[in-house]
């Protein structure tokens, strides 16, 4: 089940990278707006805080997709005998 989730999230690595960069750009804009609002106009901080939520969402979604793609590649390269040997170890 977990394997299917990783494969589903990591299907489109270019899209995940684009989402991550969108989130990173929005995060930078929100930091600039918060800093500007601290020194000049206080209402600009509210705009920066409003941008912070979608920025963190897009960055986390993109990063999760990138991670899932890399991890699914690791899962795909494991041999079946290696997988079963991990399951046979006593805990």
């Amino acid at each position: 089940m977990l394997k299917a989730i990783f494969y589903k999230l990591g299907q489109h690595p270019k899209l995940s990278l684009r989402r991550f960069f969108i989130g990173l750009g929005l995060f930078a804009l929100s930091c600039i707006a918060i800093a500007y609002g601290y020194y000049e106009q206080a209402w600009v901080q509210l705009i920066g805080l409003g941008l912070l939520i979608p920025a963190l969402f897009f960055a986390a979604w993109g990063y999760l997709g990138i991670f899932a793609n890399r991890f699914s590649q690791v899962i795909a390269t494991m041999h079946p005998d290696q997988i079963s040997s991990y399951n046979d170890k006593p805990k």
Side-chain angles (χ1 to χ4, degrees), residues 7-84:
Y7 282 135
K8 177 75 174 159
L9 284 173
Q11 271 182 333
H12 306 288
K14 290 183 181 180
L15 181 62
S16 296
L17 187 64
R18 187 180 318 153
R19 285 180 185 143
F20 178 72
F21 282 140
I22 288 171
L24 192 64
L26 286 175
F27 182 76
L29 283 175
S30 104
C31 286
I32 289 170
I34 291 171
Y36 178 77
Y38 181 74
Y39 291 111
E40 297 294 328
Q41 302 287 334
W43 59 272
V44 179
Q45 282 184 331
L46 296 175
I47 294 172
L49 288 174
L51 279 175
L52 189 63
I53 294 167
L56 293 176
F57 172 74
F58 274 107
W61 190 15
Y63 189 78
L64 185 63
I66 294 168
F67 174 76
N69 182 295
R70 300 289 185 191
F71 194 68
S72 66
Q73 289 175 2
V74 169
I75 291 173
T77 60
M78 290 181 71
H79 297 293
D81 55 345
Q82 287 179 338
I83 294 171
S84 64

